[in-house]
Amino acid sequence: METKNLTQEVIRISGANPKKCMKCGKCTATCPAFDQMDIHPHQFVDMVINGRLEELLNSRGIYNCLSCFACMERCPRSVEPARLIEAVRMAVVRQKENNHLKPDAIPALLDDELPQQAITSALRKYMK
Amino acid sequence: MEFSYFPGCTLKTKGKELDISARACAQALGFTLDELKDWQCCGAVYPQATDEIATRLSSVRALVAARDKGQELVTLCSACHHVIKRVNGDLANREDIRSKVNAYLKLDTPYEGETSVLHYLEVLRDRVGFDNIAAAVKNPLTGKKIGAYYGCLLLRPGKEMQMDDPENPTILEDFIRALGADPVYYAQRNECCGGYQTLENKPQAQKRATSVVDNAAACGAEMLITACPLCLYNLTQNAENPLPVKYFTELLAQALGLE
Ligand code: SF4
Ligand code: SF4
């Protein structure tokens, strides 16, 4: 898909409206993963608006977002950055052979205390 | 009082203590958790993408089963609660999702989000009442300094979860007080511990867990309570200086003298 269409597709499936953003930076200020987000949440929103999808598709932040919804709760404009981040991650993992976590890799990561929920959630976030 | 009950995958395995203590306390406090037959794992992450339908179906099946029994649906695990409550909201409020889900499930009566979803804590607060719980306490936890760990999933997004004020919650602190203990307030009580990252990026989960636990300890907490098995794992296994962490229902069982 060419970038312009892909941007529209990401916005559509996200259910969010990045154009409402007033660039206050509160989402980044409150993000507990901000230091692991190579593209900070407020930048992420701006880059969606400007169609810079290639960079977002290749960013590490789409995997490091904790899905904690702090940015959604605290955005004064109800932009819901986490929805955009998830939509971009979906655009990556939905492509054939593009799973971010392979089931074969999981057994080596387990320990005796690990709850099932950790595996289920990783599969849902990183695989299709 | 009888409720339909969705335990979820972890409460049958690594998080058994949460399920067992919750059932025992329910019995002691006069309500019944009627486990749904054939429930399926909720997936543990709410699918935010609006075109995700298959990942919403297990939640809808549980919601429909409760509706067909004429009961409210009670959850315990923060992640199950988050997923099922938000999917229910989608079915009530989003025509695009509602029509696709119903076209797929072909139910006799289409589902439109009519089941009421309650977290066990809401049953304690709104149906049993914290006053009645305080009156039922046999072993008050006097002098114990306990930090409530809400984490992220239980309260947010506030307008969908509708349990408590997501920025200044009181439900767990009021619960702690009802058991005779002293709640400890600390800044990170409603910030994410990073538990979802424990497989994919362990250092990130370690850093977040350490930050939460250190903050609670600095404010004087001797232990933490949670409703989430993944938080419990992350805070005890991934924090640098862990504090004891228990499920809130284990603490309740102890105070009610059920151990
Ligand atoms: S908090 Fe909301 S309005 Fe402010 S920069 Fe972030 S997305 Fe934009
Ligand atoms: S949902 Fe992701 S981007 Fe938003 S505050 Fe949490 S970690 Fe940061």
Side-chain angles (χ1 to χ4, degrees):
Chain A
M1 216 183 279
E2 57 177 281
T3 308
K4 182 149 177 282
N5 291 346
L6 187 57
T7 305
Q8 288 315 313
E9 180 64 7
V10 159
I11 294 174
R12 189 186 67 78
I13 68 167
S14 77
N17 179 4
K19 292 212 170 111
K20 288 198 290 188
C21 174
M22 63 178 183
K23 308 192 193 301
C24 67
K26 195 170 179 186
C27 49
T28 295
T30 203
C31 174
F34 75 97
D35 56 343
Q36 312 263 322
M37 301 290 285
D38 48 354
I39 298 172
H40 292 153
H42 75 286
Q43 295 172 313
F44 203 99
V45 174
D46 185 66
M47 288 165 74
V48 172
I49 297 173
N50 289 309
R52 290 166 65 181
L53 252 282
E54 272 316 304
E55 292 159 80
L56 299 179
L57 293 167
N58 293 306
S59 71
R60 176 64 217 175
I62 57 175
Y63 308 110
N64 282 350
C65 165
L66 305 172
S67 305
C68 76
F69 310 113
C71 55
M72 278 174 68
E73 190 67 54
R74 295 166 189 160
C75 168
R77 299 278 299 151
S78 308
V79 172
E80 308 188 320
R83 284 188 175 275
L84 294 167
I85 295 169
E86 180 155 327
V88 173
R89 187 170 68 240
M90 282 291 135
V92 176
V93 298
R94 281 178 183 176
Q95 289 167 44
K96 200 160 177 264
E97 313 274 336
N98 233 355
N99 283 331
H100 180 66
L101 190 67
K102 310 268 186 301
D104 290 350
I106 290 180
L109 301 170
L110 303 181
D111 64 62
D112 287 346
E113 300 303 321
L114 192 84
Q116 282 62 24
Q117 195 186 352
I119 306 166
T120 324
S121 55
L123 294 176
R124 187 168 271 188
K125 276 186 83 168
Y126 303 123
M127 272 187 57
K128 266 294 153 195
Chain B
M1 278 188 290
E2 194 165 330
F3 301 95
S4 281
Y5 168 49
F6 180 94
C9 64
T10 304
L11 271 66
K12 292 292 171 179
T13 45
K14 287 288 184 245
K16 275 209 286 284
E17 298 80 6
L18 179 53
D19 174 76
I20 293 167
S21 53
R23 286 174 193 264
C25 294
Q27 198 179 17
L29 294 169
F31 66 98
T32 310
L33 297 177
D34 182 4
E35 183 174 332
L36 291 174
K37 253 194 262 152
D38 305 329
W39 56 266
Q40 301 166 339
C41 170
C42 72
V45 180
Y46 168 72
Q48 295 186 83
T50 56
D51 62 345
E52 283 281 316
I53 298 302
T55 42
R56 284 177 164 85
L57 294 178
S58 60
S59 294
V60 178
R61 290 190 179 103
L63 290 159
V64 169
R67 176 195 67 183
D68 292 349
K69 289 166 73 181
Q71 290 176 334
E72 296 179 285
L73 181 60
V74 170
T75 56
L76 263 171
C77 161
S78 303
C80 298
H81 183 65
H82 180 95
V83 174
I84 294 174
K85 181 107 183 180
R86 293 185 76 184
V87 169
N88 201 37
D90 292 336
L91 271 285
N93 303 319
R94 291 196 64 114
E95 170 52 28
D96 53 342
I97 293 174
R98 179 167 56 231
S99 59
K100 283 188 203 143
V101 165
N102 278 299
Y104 186 87
L105 289 178
K106 297 194 176 64
L107 304 164
D108 292 338
T109 314
Y111 185 73
E112 300 179 342
E114 53 268 41
T115 299
S116 134
V117 182
L118 296 172
H119 190 268
Y120 190 96
L121 272 168
E122 293 174 298
V123 176
L124 296 182
R125 179 189 62 189
D126 304 332
R127 304 301 166 85
V128 180
F130 286 150
D131 289 354
N132 290 324
I133 291 174
V137 165
K138 296 211 174 67
N139 306 320
L141 309 170
T142 315
K144 224 161 164 39
K145 301 206 176 329
I146 302 175
Y149 183 60
Y150 291 91
C152 51
L153 297 177
L154 200 56
L155 304 174
R156 288 199 286 265
K159 64 177 189 302
E160 292 176 58
M161 301 309 292
Q162 296 181 348
M163 180 189 289
D164 203 345
D165 179 342
E167 299 298 13
N168 192 15
T170 55
I171 188 167
L172 274 172
E173 283 78 9
D174 291 343
F175 168 79
I176 291 168
R177 266 188 220 102
L179 306 187
D182 298 326
V184 173
Y185 290 84
Y186 58 105
Q188 301 235 12
R189 68 196 170 118
N190 63 339
E191 299 300 342
C192 178
C193 72
Y196 276 152
Q197 299 302 98
T198 192
L199 283 185
E200 201 273 338
N201 187 346
K202 204 174 188 68
Q204 191 185 11
Q206 287 168 329
K207 193 170 169 197
R208 281 304 310 144
T210 301
S211 167
V212 170
V213 175
D214 286 357
N215 177 226
C219 294
E222 296 161 1
M223 65 172 293
L224 299 174
I225 55 168
T226 177
C228 178
L230 187 54
C231 295
L232 186 136
Y233 167 83
N234 195 36
L235 296 175
T236 52
Q237 307 298 312
N238 283 337
E240 245 170 65
N241 316 297
L243 282 174
V245 185
K246 282 206 176 297
Y247 294 118
F248 72 100
T249 48
E250 292 182 284
L251 205 68
L252 178 59
Q254 188 187 337
L256 295 175
L258 300 174
E259 278 180 318

